């Protein structure tokens, strides 16, 4: 898969099957769109996922909005599935572009769109004036095929990034997994800590989650940890370590079962499968150890 950050760097001359959106989380609805462009790709037609990166807009507005997925994670999820990922910054130039101009200059002139797949609520262009009706109107003029793909539902509700964020904030990791189609994960490079876990006989790998990624509630989670492409069961604590620390920094520390190698400086991914209990401050390190042992025993009895 080729990754393109700036629109002018896209130089492909073949026609394209394109899907567009924010693609925050790449949930089951997004995956439906991706599958449609893959089905319309061929030797003559490349598949393109066009993702609007909203970070520049939030920066201009002075807002710090958390996402379900980092740009790196979106790349990893799509790698091998599509020919191109366009990670387009939502700059003033893009946000101020008239919808008709976007259709002609980007979709038609630059991408040579032969097929376009979007969701029912897709909007684009200045003040969101562009929608599926405008795309249908211009399909006959420019000769592309438009498919408007219905939303995916979960228990009667449309799957959306907003819906998923509600579930993540509530710590409903099983529901989040159903909506996404895969477990919600946090990644990072293993850091040196105070090695208290090692002293207690429960060594942990510590990572600092990406500041731009939405974090579920602080607490203990049943986890699956990917290290060097292999998966291991484990237990994780997301929070500020109130019993032994006071700096307030958000840390995800994971005890990985049946694993005893050093991983400092190594990137790992932690899938948060199930919320076990809230984080709390213990009266002593001994009480903390006793609770950790009980949590580990409970998780090992689960089928996840």
């Amino acid at each position: 898969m080729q990754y393109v950050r700036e629109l002018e760097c896209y130089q492909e001359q073949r026609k394209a099957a394109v899907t567009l959106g924010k693609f925050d989380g790449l949930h089951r609805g997004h995956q439906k769109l991706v599958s449609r462009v893959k089905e319309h790709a061929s030797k003559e037609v490349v598949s393109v996922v066009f993702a609007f990166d909203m970070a520049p807009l939030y920066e201009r507005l002075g807002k710090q909005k958390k996402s379900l997925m980092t740009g790196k994670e979106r790349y990893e999820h799509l790698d091998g599935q599509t020919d191109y990922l366009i990670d387009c910054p939502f700059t003033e130039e893009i946000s101020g572009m008239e919808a008709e101009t976007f259709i002609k200059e980007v979709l038609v002139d630059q991408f040579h769109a032969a097929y376009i797949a979007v969701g029912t609520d897709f909007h684009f262009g200045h003040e969101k004036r562009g929608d599926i009706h405008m795309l249908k109107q211009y399909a006959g003029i420019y000769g592309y095929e438009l498919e408007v793909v219905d939303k995916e539902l979960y228990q009667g509700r449309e799957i959306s990034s907003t819906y998923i964020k509600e579930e993540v904030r509530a710590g409903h990791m099983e529901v989040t997994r159903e909506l996404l189609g895969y477990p919600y994960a946090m990644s990072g490079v293993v850091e040196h800590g105070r090695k208290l876990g090692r002293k207690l006989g429960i060594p942990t790998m510590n990572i600092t989650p990406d500041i731009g990624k939405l974090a579920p509630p602080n607490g203990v989670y049943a986890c699956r940890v990917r290290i060097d492409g292999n998966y291991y069961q484990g237990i994780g604590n997301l929070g500020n370590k109130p019993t032994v620390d006071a700096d307030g920094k958000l840390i995800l520390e994971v005890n990985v079962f049946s694993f005893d190698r050093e991983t400092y400086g190594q990137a790992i991914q932690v899938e948060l499968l199930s919320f076990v209990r809230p984080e709390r401050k213990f009266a002593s390190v001994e009480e903390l150890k006793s609770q950790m042992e009980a949590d580990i025993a409970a998780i090992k009895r689960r089928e996840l």
Side-chain angles (χ1 to χ4, degrees), residues 45-236:
V45 179
V46 295
S47 56
V48 176
V49 174
F50 187 108
F52 292 102
D53 176 5
M54 306 305 291
L57 172 63
Y58 301 141
E59 289 175 5
R60 293 199 301 273
L61 297 175
K63 296 181 179 180
Q64 189 179 46
K65 193 165 183 178
K66 302 290 187 177
S67 299
L68 293 169
M69 174 174 275
T70 66
K72 183 175 183 292
E73 288 172 330
R74 183 162 48 240
Y75 176 90
E76 291 173 346
H77 274 269
L78 287 172
D79 193 22
Q81 292 195 55
T82 184
D83 295 312
Y84 285 91
L85 169 59
I86 313 297
D87 209 355
C88 181
F90 201 66
T91 60
E92 290 188 59
E93 180 183 1
I94 292 294
S95 63
M97 185 180 293
E98 294 297 335
E100 295 89 344
T101 303
F102 183 84
I103 292 173
K104 182 182 186 303
E105 295 186 1
V106 178
L107 294 178
V108 176
D109 293 346
Q110 189 160 13
F111 289 105
H112 319 296
Y115 167 85
I116 299 172
V118 293
T120 54
D121 60 351
F122 177 65
H123 286 80
F124 64 101
H126 184 54
E127 297 183 347
K128 298 184 177 180
R129 293 172 184 163
D131 58 13
I132 59 174
H133 304 293
M134 182 181 288
L135 285 171
K136 287 178 181 176
Q137 175 187 345
Y138 281 93
I141 297 173
Y142 293 119
Y144 56 78
E145 177 189 352
L146 173 69
E147 181 178 3
V148 179
V149 179
D150 290 334
K151 296 279 190 177
E152 282 287 290
L153 302 178
Y154 178 73
Q155 296 185 346
R157 182 175 175 182
E158 292 183 351
I159 295 176
S160 67
S161 297
T162 299
Y163 180 11
I164 298 169
K165 286 179 179 179
E166 291 175 10
E167 299 300 330
V168 171
R169 291 191 180 101
H172 298 158
M173 308 318 296
E174 293 93 341
V175 177
T176 298
R177 182 175 185 169
E178 290 293 328
L179 300 176
L180 288 172
Y182 57 88
Y184 195 69
M186 310 192 88
S187 302
V189 175
V190 179
E191 309 167 355
H192 286 277
R194 298 176 61 180
K195 296 183 174 59
L196 176 62
R198 189 178 300 276
K199 294 175 184 176
L200 297 176
I202 310 173
T204 61
M205 302 176 192
N206 296 356
I207 64 173
T208 300
D210 190 290
I211 192 171
K213 179 152 181 167
L214 181 66
N218 287 5
V220 175
Y221 292 83
C223 300
R224 191 172 74 149
V225 186
R226 188 179 73 184
I227 306 170
D228 289 332
N230 297 310
Y231 287 91
Y232 304 86
Q233 188 183 14
I235 181 173

Side-chain angles (χ1 to χ4, degrees), residues 254-299:
V254 188
N255 172 250
V256 184
F257 309 154
S258 304
F259 187 92
D260 59 2
R261 288 192 286 108
E262 294 286 0
T263 56
Y264 293 118
Q266 187 172 341
I268 65 171
Q269 180 188 66
V270 182
E271 297 177 348
L272 304 175
L273 304 181
S274 179
F275 182 77
V276 176
R277 63 168 176 82
E279 183 181 47
R280 65 186 180 93
K281 186 172 183 176
F282 293 92
S284 66
V285 172
E286 290 73 21
E287 186 180 344
L288 169 63
K289 179 182 179 181
S290 178
Q291 183 62 60
M292 289 176 67
E293 290 172 342
D295 292 336
I296 290 170
I299 288 173

